[in-house]
Amino acid sequence: MARTQTEQADEQTSPPESRGGSASGSVFYGIMKGLETQSFVPGQRLVEVDLAAQYGVSRNSVREALQRLAAEGVIELSRNKGAAIRSLTLKQTHEVLDVAERMTGLLARSAAQGIADGQSPEPITQALRELVLADQTNDGEAFARARRSLYRAFLVASDSQEMRRLFPSIQMPIVYAQHRPATLQKVRMRDYQTMSDAILAGNAAAADKAGMAHVQNVRAAIVRQHEARTA
């Protein structure tokens, strides 16, 4: 059976090792997913033998996954301390958000232009329905899945190979794993709706603005949290 555009985008935007069900891919993608579900947290040490047992793979496959995670900036490898999930300073968090702000605006603009040029809106509307349901039921794992589906749908609509290559490299999973303001999901839900509305309307300028505003709102929530903790 032929794959849909969304399934193809899912493959292209997933870590290379996770494609095709490879052993190292199961570890790579498992850790990335674990960051969203808090089964892995910034600063946590990753022990090869434990990961091999957890994912049912060889230690060589674990090492391959860890090397890829290190190359992607998700973990840090030390000869003395081994592997650990990367922990960002506040300055580093702002640096990630600086990149994410520009890229999210560009993605939203590109997706809106794609819709205006005739790309199907259905993947976006379906992902948005799933996101709303997950938010209403307060299902964090379902929300994470739906959020990934929404961004994949944006990438499909954008029809940009460069965007599919570059966007997944932004280290937002680390930011979200490390900074979890109580208001963050509500902020994200509201912003995803605004972004989707502009994209589905084919309004590139409004979509660009909404995409950048989303990251600005995430930044503001993180700053408020940090100020409350250090007050």
Side-chain angles (χ1 to χ4, degrees):
M1 182 180 295
R3 294 174 298 164
T4 66
Q5 283 185 303
T6 301
E7 289 169 336
Q8 292 171 18
D10 187 12
E11 179 178 288
Q12 289 178 322
T13 58
S14 296
E17 285 81 355
S18 72
R19 301 171 195 169
S22 70
S24 62
S26 67
V27 180
F28 185 112
Y29 196 60
I31 291 174
M32 294 297 290
K33 181 179 178 181
L35 285 171
E36 294 184 333
T37 60
Q38 294 185 274
S39 57
F40 291 102
V41 296
Q44 178 178 342
R45 289 190 64 236
L46 301 175
V47 181
E48 285 184 10
V49 65
D50 292 344
L51 291 171
Q54 180 177 348
Y55 292 101
V57 300
S58 70
R59 292 184 66 175
N60 282 338
S61 295
V62 170
R63 292 188 192 105
E64 290 177 15
L66 294 180
Q67 289 292 336
R68 175 62 180 176
L69 287 162
E72 295 286 336
V74 176
I75 70 169
E76 295 176 329
L77 291 175
S78 168
R79 179 170 297 179
N80 296 325
K81 296 182 179 180
I85 301 292
R86 186 181 175 200
S87 183
L88 301 175
T89 65
L90 186 61
K91 178 178 182 295
Q92 290 170 331
T93 297
H94 281 299
E95 290 170 351
V96 173
L97 292 170
D98 287 341
V99 175
E101 181 178 328
R102 302 292 181 178
M103 290 290 288
T104 305
L106 182 58
L107 172 61
R109 171 182 285 276
S110 179
Q113 188 60 58
I115 294 295
D117 290 343
Q119 290 283 350
S120 172
E122 178 55 30
I124 296 174
T125 57
Q126 175 60 33
L128 192 59
R129 285 193 294 267
E130 294 171 0
L131 197 67
V132 169
L133 179 59
D135 182 56
Q136 290 173 343
T137 57
N138 200 30
D139 187 333
E141 187 169 348
F143 188 90
R145 287 197 305 270
R147 182 185 65 80
R148 289 194 299 269
S149 293
L150 185 65
Y151 275 112
R152 287 195 298 266
F154 290 166
L155 287 164
V156 168
S158 77
D159 197 28
S160 168
Q161 292 295 325
E162 281 301 291
M163 191 60 67
R164 291 181 183 180
R165 181 177 67 86
L166 293 172
F167 192 80
S169 68
I170 305 171
Q171 292 306 311
M172 289 303 287
I174 299 294
V175 171
Y176 287 139
Q178 186 165 331
H179 304 281
R180 296 181 179 271
T183 60
L184 188 55
Q185 182 162 310
K186 295 301 179 185
V187 167
R188 294 161 84 186
M189 185 65 242
R190 182 194 64 213
D191 290 351
Y192 293 150
Q193 183 70 63
T194 302
M195 289 169 61
S196 297
D197 288 345
I199 291 169
L200 291 170
N203 188 331
D208 193 341
K209 182 178 179 180
M212 293 182 67
H214 164 56
V215 182
Q216 291 164 5
N217 291 336
V218 170
R219 188 196 302 269
I222 290 172
V223 168
R224 286 193 299 268
Q225 179 192 54
H226 178 75
E227 290 175 346
R229 287 176 174 174
T230 57

